[in-house]
Amino acid sequence: MERKARLKKLLPEGGWLRYSEHIGARGIDFFRVVCDHDLEGIVAKLKTAPYSPERSTWLKIKNPNYSQAVDRHERFAPKQPKIAA
């Protein structure tokens, strides 16, 4: 929580990078809203878990019905060179 408080002081308001408040007791409700808005998912961590660059304690929880996940790999696949016949 100390690290998050420091981060909040560093980020300017109205910039392209936004600070998110901690959501402590309603994570399941928040995830449902994320899914209802067809967002990709959430990233979560226990507020008491230490920050460690060597070993992450963060969890990525994906929306199983995220509409843009279908065939997404095709958008980012390396393009194959065209072979002249």
Side-chain angles (χ1 to χ4, degrees):
M1 292 305 292
E2 178 184 332
R3 182 175 172 268
K4 194 162 172 75
R6 288 183 185 186
L7 177 64
K8 185 175 185 175
K9 289 178 184 176
L10 291 173
L11 292 175
E13 287 192 35
W16 59 272
L17 184 61
R18 306 275 173 135
Y19 176 83
S20 294
E21 292 292 338
H22 180 79
I23 298 174
R26 311 237 4 207
I28 293 171
D29 293 335
F30 178 64
F31 182 69
R32 285 185 183 132
V33 170
V34 165
C35 292
D36 289 346
H37 285 84
D38 193 31
L39 299 173
E40 186 175 0
I42 61 174
V43 176
K45 161 184 187 314
L46 291 173
K47 71 178 180 179
T48 56
Y51 173 75
S52 171
E54 291 87 29
R55 189 174 140 246
S56 177
T57 58
W58 295 72
L59 299 171
K60 184 171 185 179
I61 307 166
K62 292 185 173 188
N63 172 358
N65 300 313
Y66 179 50
S67 65
Q68 294 183 41
V70 176
D71 298 326
R72 188 174 181 94
H73 65 282
E74 292 176 4
R75 295 182 194 156
F76 300 101
K79 295 191 186 227
Q80 300 296 324
K82 293 184 180 178
I83 301 173

